[in-house]
């Protein structure tokens, strides 16, 4: 019998119950007991979902109030000293303080750093690693959850982040003054006994299988890390449970032989991202091991083509017999919970999709089909899936002949500005006549509760379009007035009409759909609702021109047009799987190119194309970086290169490092790039200096994440540091990012000081 299971399931709940409960608890509106009971209900429901779908095991250990990596840190007693908990059970509020700096009880302290989990949009809390750190079993939550699931009568498999990936995701803190650095791996010896203890305790609870997630194995691993995998798993093999080593998000590549040979009872591989590795693993898998094949896409929302998958897996079934397990490619954490609650999509489109709950059905159905023990209902699911798949393939909603033809007709010239930067810079200088150290903002101004309320009323039909647009125009006029008073040099309209920088464009482009409840956890209680790109992308009418034109009409200062770039729109959406991401990105680029042309024609002389997600699209393997960067850069240029020499193209990137991608950043050939730098003491500019970056740069001088007002002297000092790296005549002065999360009471004094800083700089240079 083929065993069906899942690596993990979303915990937020189909109606974001967990988000609401956790936030209420933080606000003091819900007791800890009530929070715990909501959590228990959600776990019970999600386990039951797995059983109802026909999975053979339910997964325990994927629940988290905030983050599953944080859970493991708590389990291991890896609590940074500033949170003051050195002994005893790591309690809920300590974990919340690690996550957000404060909780209903306990002394506030600086929160742990957060960053993206591999190449997903899920953020985890970075484990802080200290020399000679002690680990101890410091939380009984996992064991309690196991008891809970067993009491409900479920066959349990525990899922837990493995020791090496936990260390891999961690960051060394507090190197000693001697300057001697220490390696994360030095902690492995003290970490493993605690993992051993956890496994032993799980065994004593009657757990047979423990899934240890080791996604680090799909990345480039230094030799010491590869060796550490061998020694660590040699040690863990004495634990009285069966281990399923789970790898996902990519190909094992050069770690394949190592991984297949580790002394564990089972291995999970991702054959959605890396289909070719199935045969390679089958050829090498020792005869005692189980192979869990991740065939249902845990990173995307498309319904699976069960018939094709059955064929693909037939060989594996024959060779492995009962040693074949089936699962989604990775945890279902990265897809929305349940399509059943979806009200915003039409039936046809809905039929093309599968969310987490539906993916459980797909896994179970496929297992039974492979075994030849499918019920008539399951057999009809296969036929349905095939019919839907064929219908989707041929649907006129997906294929717009004009779009494909246009992409095919693109030539190298289309992604090339008319002249080189120095020629353009001269033309732009003559046109705009900007002072040294020109000042500007990044785009958004405070999204006040009034703005949000107006948009809500408009969407619910309580406010008509005209009234809504009048409200937004008032906001724009207000923003222009403020900038006039502050004396900024290049204006923005403030983006009041945008709820989100991707959704705003997706709603107006063809080929995009929006769900009502397609929430995916981003971090903690924060969820995002990514658009679904289901078909060829095109633009039927201008999306921003009216707003920008209006804003420009209110001032003599140049008003920046404001667009989200093609790579960022791609990166923050669920992307169709029937063509390459690259092909979809080109379509978006061409649609945006038309918007750029229209903005220029409407007299907008400066156009900013934001690409904050460019870096996060980097593949997990370095060998694949260049290929990605090449097409990503080309797509940006395709969007931007349509303009005349005297139209100035800006781009903006936040939370990014540039060292290893600086050549591609330069290849974007934006006339001006604004970046987030204020918290890095301008060190991020080293990469630009070392590369002799040729165009203009606006290094952020004002940390928009903080409510504090920066001092003039501080901003001047930052810019002086910048001027040591970049010639002063190519520097701009601006905040780190958009100001939509701030209030006007914070923004005005901060920008006033920023303008003052620019004046001071002009006196000095
Ligand atoms: N123009 C956008 C804004 O100001 C940029 C947002 C971002 O970079 N994340 O809000
Ligand atoms: Zn930004």
């Amino acid at each position: 019998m083929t065993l069906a299971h899942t690596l993990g399931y979303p915990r937020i709940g189909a109606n974001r119950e967990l988000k609401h409960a956790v936030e209420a608890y933080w606000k003091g509106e819900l007791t800890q007991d009530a929070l715990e009971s909501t959590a228990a209900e959600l776990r019970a429901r999600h386990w039951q979902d797995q059983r109802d779908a026909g999975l053979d095991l339910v997964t325990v250990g994927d629940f988290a109030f905030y983050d599953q990596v944080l859970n493991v840190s708590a389990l291991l007693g890896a609590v940074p000293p500033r949170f003051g908990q050195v002994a005893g059970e790591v309690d809920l509020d300590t974990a919340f303080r690690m996550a957000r700096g404060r909780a209903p009880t306990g002394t506030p302290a600086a929160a742990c750093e957060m960053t993206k989990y591999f190449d997903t949009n899920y953020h985890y809390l970075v484990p802080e690693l200290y020399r000679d750190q002690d680990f101890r079993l410091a939380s009984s939550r996992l064991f309690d959850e196991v008891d809970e699931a067993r009491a409900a009568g479920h066959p349990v498999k525990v899922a837990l982040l493995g020791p090496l990936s936990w260390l891999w995701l961690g960051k060394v803190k507090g190197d000693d003054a001697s300057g001697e650095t220490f390696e994360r791996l030095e902690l492995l010896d003290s970490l493993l006994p605690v993992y051993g203890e956890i496994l032993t305790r799980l065994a004593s609870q009657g757990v047979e299988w423990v899934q240890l997630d080791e996604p680090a194995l799909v990345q480039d691993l230094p030799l010491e890390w590869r060796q550490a995998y061998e020694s660590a798993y040699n040690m863990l093999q004495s634990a009285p449970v069966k281990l399923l080593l789970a790898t996902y998000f990519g190909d094992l590549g050069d770690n394949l032989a190592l991984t297949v040979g580790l002394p564990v009872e089972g291995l999970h591989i991702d054959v959605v991202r890396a289909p070719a590795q199935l045969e390679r693993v089958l050829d090498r898998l020792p005869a005692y091991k189980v192979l869990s094949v991740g065939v249902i896409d845990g990173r995307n929302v498309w319904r699976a083509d069960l018939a094709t998958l059955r064929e693909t897996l037939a060989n594996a079934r024959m060779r492995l017999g009962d040693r074949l397990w089936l699962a989604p490619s990775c945890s279902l954490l990265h897809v929305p919970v349940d399509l059943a609650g979806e009200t915003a999509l039409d039936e046809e489109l809905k039929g093309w999709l599968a969310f987490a709950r539906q993916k459980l059905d797909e896994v179970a159905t496929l297992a039974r089909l492979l075994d030849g023990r499918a019920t008539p209902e399951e057999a009809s699911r296969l036929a349905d899936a095939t019919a839907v798949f064929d219908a989707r393939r041929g649907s006129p909603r997906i294929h717009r002949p004009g779009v494909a033809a246009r992409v095919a007709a693109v030539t190298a010239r289309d992604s090339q500005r008319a002249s080189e930067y120095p020629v353009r810079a001269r033309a732009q200088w003559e046109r705009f006549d900007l002072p040294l150290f020109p000042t500007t903002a990044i785009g958004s101004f405070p999204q006040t509760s009034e703005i949000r309320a107006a948009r809500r009323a408009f969407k619910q039909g309580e406010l008509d379009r005209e009234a809504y647009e009048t409200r937004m125009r008032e906001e724009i006029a207000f923003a222009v007035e403020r900038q006039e008073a502050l004396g900024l040099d290049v204006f923005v309209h403030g983006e009041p009409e945008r709820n989100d920088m991707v959704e705003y464009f997706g709603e107006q482009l063809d080929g995009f759909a929006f769900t009502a409840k397609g929430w995916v956890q981003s971090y903690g209680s924060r969820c995002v609702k990514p658009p679904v790109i289901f078909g060829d992308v095109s633009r039927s009418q201008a999306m921003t021109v009216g707003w920008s034109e209006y804003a420009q009409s209110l001032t003599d200062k140049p008003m920046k047009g404001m667009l989200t770039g093609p790579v960022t729109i791609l990166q923050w959406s669920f992307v169709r799987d029937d063509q390459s991401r690259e092909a979809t990105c080109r379509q978006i680029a061409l649609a945006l190119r038309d918007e750029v042309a229209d903005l220029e024609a409407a007299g907008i002389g400066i156009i900013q194309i934001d690409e904050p997600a460019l870096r996060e699209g980097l593949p997990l393997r370095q060998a694949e970086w260049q290929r990605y960067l090449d097409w990503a850069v080309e797509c940006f240029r395709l969007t931007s290169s349509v303009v005349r020499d005297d139209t100035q193209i800006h781009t903006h990137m936040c939370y990014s490092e540039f060292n290893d991608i600086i050549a591609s950043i330069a290849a974007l050939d934006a006339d001006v790039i604004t970046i987030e730098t204020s918290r890095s003491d301008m060190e991020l500019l080293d990469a630009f200096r070392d590369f002799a970056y040729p165009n203009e740069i606006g290094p952020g001088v004002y940390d928009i994440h903080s409510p504090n007002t920066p001092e003039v002297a501080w901003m001047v000092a930052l810019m002086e540091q910048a001027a040591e790296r970049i010639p002063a005549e190519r520097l701009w002065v601006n905040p780190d990012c958009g100001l939509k999360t701030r209030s006007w009471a914070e923004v005005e004094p901060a920008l006033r000081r920023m303008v003052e800083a620019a004046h001071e700089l002009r006196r000095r240079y």
Side-chain angles (χ1 to χ4, degrees):
M1 247 177 55
T2 304
L3 185 142
H5 74 124
T6 179
L7 267 49
Y9 198 66
R11 53 221 172 208
I12 51 171
N15 294 303
R16 289 182 295 162
E17 292 89 334
L18 188 60
K19 170 196 177 70
H20 299 130
V22 163
E23 289 178 356
Y25 172 70
W26 291 339
K27 281 193 223 143
E29 292 163 5
L30 197 72
T31 64
Q32 191 158 321
D33 284 349
L35 175 62
E36 292 283 5
S37 76
T38 301
E41 274 164 35
L42 285 166
R43 285 192 296 268
R45 191 197 301 163
H46 296 154
W47 292 328
Q48 193 59 49
D49 281 351
Q50 294 168 47
R51 293 299 283 160
D52 290 348
L55 297 194
D56 298 293
L57 296 170
V58 304
T59 299
V60 176
D62 54 356
F63 178 82
F65 282 105
Y66 202 97
D67 164 39
Q68 77 273 7
V69 178
L70 173 65
N71 277 7
V72 176
S73 304
L75 181 62
L76 300 170
V79 179
R82 65 183 178 282
F83 298 101
Q85 183 156 12
V86 286
E89 172 96 6
V90 175
D91 56 39
L92 188 60
D93 278 0
T94 300
F96 279 145
R97 285 190 299 130
M98 286 168 71
R100 10 183 352 256
R102 64 206 132 81
T105 65
T107 316
C112 297
E113 195 182 316
M114 198 165 61
T115 193
K116 294 204 173 195
Y117 191 64
F118 296 89
D119 62 350
T120 70
N121 285 330
Y122 175 82
H123 301 68
Y124 71 95
L125 283 152
V126 179
E128 291 184 18
L129 308 174
Y130 301 85
R131 186 190 292 277
D132 302 326
Q133 189 166 355
D134 277 328
F135 298 100
R136 61 191 179 87
L137 218 174
S139 168
S140 55
R141 278 193 178 273
L142 177 65
F143 312 106
D144 295 345
E145 288 172 16
V146 168
D147 285 340
E148 214 176 278
R150 290 178 58 90
H154 300 307
V156 166
K157 176 205 68 187
V158 168
L160 187 64
L161 186 62
L164 283 152
S165 290
W166 184 79
L167 277 179
W168 182 252
L169 295 174
K171 206 164 157 179
V172 168
K173 296 278 166 169
D175 267 352
D176 49 26
S178 68
E180 224 184 295
T181 57
F182 93 94
E183 294 290 334
R184 290 171 285 181
L185 270 184
E186 287 173 31
L187 295 174
L188 187 60
D189 285 346
S190 45
L191 185 61
L192 286 175
V194 184
Y195 265 87
E197 230 181 294
I198 295 167
L199 297 176
T200 305
R201 183 148 160 199
L202 290 170
S204 75
Q205 291 179 286
V207 173
E208 187 189 0
W209 281 98
V210 176
Q211 164 195 323
L212 288 180
D213 285 13
E214 290 286 6
L217 284 165
V218 307
Q219 291 199 282
D220 302 315
L221 292 179
L223 184 63
E224 321 80 85
W225 282 82
R226 296 160 55 98
Q227 288 165 345
Y229 264 101
E230 286 191 333
S231 54
Y233 280 87
N234 272 321
M235 224 189 118
L236 291 178
Q237 72 171 322
S238 60
V241 285
K242 294 180 179 163
L243 296 180
L244 176 75
L245 186 80
T247 69
Y248 44 82
F249 298 155
D251 200 312
L252 289 166
D254 57 349
N255 297 325
L256 189 137
L258 161 76
T259 306
V260 171
L262 292 174
V264 290
E265 285 75 7
L267 171 65
H268 173 90
I269 55 170
D270 182 339
V271 305
V272 174
R273 281 278 181 91
Q277 66 177 344
L278 177 57
E279 292 302 316
R280 273 185 268 136
V281 169
L282 282 174
D283 287 343
R284 284 192 171 77
L285 195 78
Y288 67 90
K289 275 191 196 180
V290 153
L291 183 66
S292 165
V293 182
V295 276
I296 300 296
D297 196 345
R299 295 286 300 273
N300 215 332
V301 292
W302 306 103
R303 187 162 167 186
D305 177 8
L306 295 177
T308 305
L309 290 179
R310 182 171 63 172
E311 265 167 53
T312 315
L313 291 167
N315 181 37
R317 173 75 177 100
M318 208 176 66
R319 290 174 68 172
L320 294 169
D322 286 348
R323 294 188 291 128
L324 175 64
W325 289 18
L326 291 187
S329 55
C330 58
S331 168
L332 295 171
L333 178 66
H334 310 289
V335 292
V337 183
D338 192 355
L339 192 60
E342 196 49 56
T343 50
L345 300 171
D346 62 82
E347 285 305 311
E348 184 185 27
L349 195 49
K350 217 168 137 179
W352 296 350
L353 303 177
F355 292 175
R357 178 62 188 83
Q358 288 68 43
K359 285 173 189 283
L360 297 178
D361 287 335
E362 292 182 329
V363 172
T365 305
L366 197 55
R368 289 161 171 278
L369 286 165
L370 273 178
D371 293 352
R373 60 190 168 96
T375 61
E377 193 210 330
E378 283 166 331
S380 78
R381 264 190 213 158
L382 173 88
D384 283 355
T386 305
V388 162
F389 200 76
D390 291 343
R392 184 181 148 211
R393 275 273 152 87
S395 169
R397 289 176 75 179
I398 290 189
H399 305 285
R400 296 158 185 273
V403 177
R406 187 164 176 212
V407 171
V410 165
T411 68
R413 273 223 48 80
D414 294 329
S415 49
Q416 192 76 49
R417 295 285 297 268
S419 307
E420 302 276 295
Y421 169 74
V423 178
R424 300 183 328 243
R426 171 119 220 122
Q428 292 160 21
W429 184 78
E430 276 165 15
R431 175 171 179 190
F432 300 113
D433 191 23
L434 294 170
L436 204 56
F437 296 105
T439 53
T440 191
I442 300 303
S444 54
F445 277 128
Q447 282 266 336
T448 58
S449 45
E450 293 80 31
I451 296 179
R452 289 175 201 278
R455 181 157 34 252
R456 218 174 307 122
F458 171 52
K459 291 217 159 157
Q460 287 166 1
E462 292 155 18
L463 197 67
D464 64 25
R465 174 170 296 276
E466 207 183 301
Y468 172 71
E469 290 187 352
T470 306
R471 274 291 293 115
M472 295 303 116
R473 277 168 190 249
E474 283 164 15
E475 284 300 328
I476 291 172
F478 178 75
V480 170
E481 229 172 75
R482 293 334 313 139
Q483 294 173 88
E484 212 73 78
L486 289 163
L488 287 155
D489 301 304
V490 171
F491 285 14
V492 294
H493 76 286
E495 305 177 27
E497 78 288 5
R498 302 184 191 178
N499 37 351
D500 173 274
M501 63 188 288
V502 170
E503 192 171 312
Y504 179 78
F505 291 94
E507 279 176 342
Q508 301 185 74
L509 288 167
D510 297 322
F512 282 74
F514 288 83
T515 62
K517 290 188 180 172
W519 297 101
V520 179
Q521 189 176 6
S522 168
Y523 66 90
S525 67
R526 289 295 193 100
C527 300
V528 293
K529 199 154 62 71
V532 177
I533 306 180
F534 65 87
D536 286 345
V537 176
S538 60
R539 188 198 72 145
S540 47
Q541 58 192 28
M543 305 180 283
T544 65
V545 177
W547 299 114
S548 288
E549 239 182 336
Y550 170 70
Q552 181 66 84
S553 75
L554 302 174
T555 178
D556 294 332
K557 294 281 176 65
M559 175 64 61
K560 277 195 277 191
M562 195 59 63
L563 304 175
T564 302
V567 183
T568 297
I569 290 182
L570 184 85
Q571 205 54 39
W572 292 350
S573 302
F574 285 119
V575 181
R576 60 192 282 193
D577 61 352
D578 58 339
Q579 66 181 21
S580 67
R581 290 173 70 80
E582 172 183 348
T584 302
C585 198
R586 278 216 173 80
Q587 296 181 354
I588 304 170
L590 287 175
L592 292 169
R593 178 184 175 91
D594 295 343
E595 187 73 12
V596 169
D598 285 352
L599 282 167
E600 180 181 65
I604 302 299
I606 304 185
I607 301 167
Q608 178 174 315
I609 304 165
D610 292 329
E611 284 289 23
L614 185 92
R615 191 190 166 90
E616 49 183 79
L618 283 174
L620 292 169
R621 293 281 190 173
Q622 289 232 345
E624 292 157 29
W625 279 24
Q626 201 53 49
R627 229 193 67 71
Y628 160 75
L629 287 167
D630 287 348
W631 66 252
V633 167
E634 198 214 318
C635 286
F636 178 88
R637 293 173 59 132
L638 209 46
T639 301
S640 61
S641 296
V642 67
V643 295
R644 299 189 310 257
D645 282 353
D646 68 351
T647 295
Q648 189 169 65
I649 296 290
H650 288 218
T651 189
H652 165 73
M653 282 172 209
C654 30
Y655 32 77
S656 195
E657 273 177 51
F658 298 96
N659 293 322
D660 41 9
I661 57 167
I662 188 68
S664 299
I665 300 298
L668 294 174
D669 199 24
D671 298 303
V672 183
I673 181 172
T674 56
I675 58 176
E676 173 178 341
T677 35
S678 74
R679 281 181 298 179
S680 82
D681 284 337
M682 297 289 150
E683 274 165 20
L684 284 182
L685 287 181
D686 291 352
F688 291 83
R689 175 198 57 202
D690 297 344
F691 188 78
Y693 182 83
N695 304 6
E696 291 161 56
I697 309 179
V701 290
Y702 155 27
D703 173 13
I704 59 98
H705 301 287
S706 160
N708 304 335
T709 313
E711 300 291 338
V712 176
W714 189 73
M715 289 188 271
V716 170
L718 277 182
M719 286 307 295
E720 285 183 321
Q721 290 180 47
E724 282 167 20
R725 295 166 167 95
I726 309 291
E729 56 281 5
R730 282 199 261 122
L731 286 172
W732 286 61
V733 179
N734 46 263
D736 270 342
C737 191
L739 299 163
K740 71 182 198 182
T741 59
R742 302 259 64 96
S743 67
W744 277 106
E746 293 161 338
V747 163
E748 284 210 77
L751 290 182
R752 185 168 305 118
R753 289 188 190 171
M754 189 187 88
V755 171
E756 246 176 77
H759 286 289
E760 176 57 30
L761 287 160
R762 285 170 203 159
R763 283 192 284 276
R764 296 191 189 182
Y765 286 84

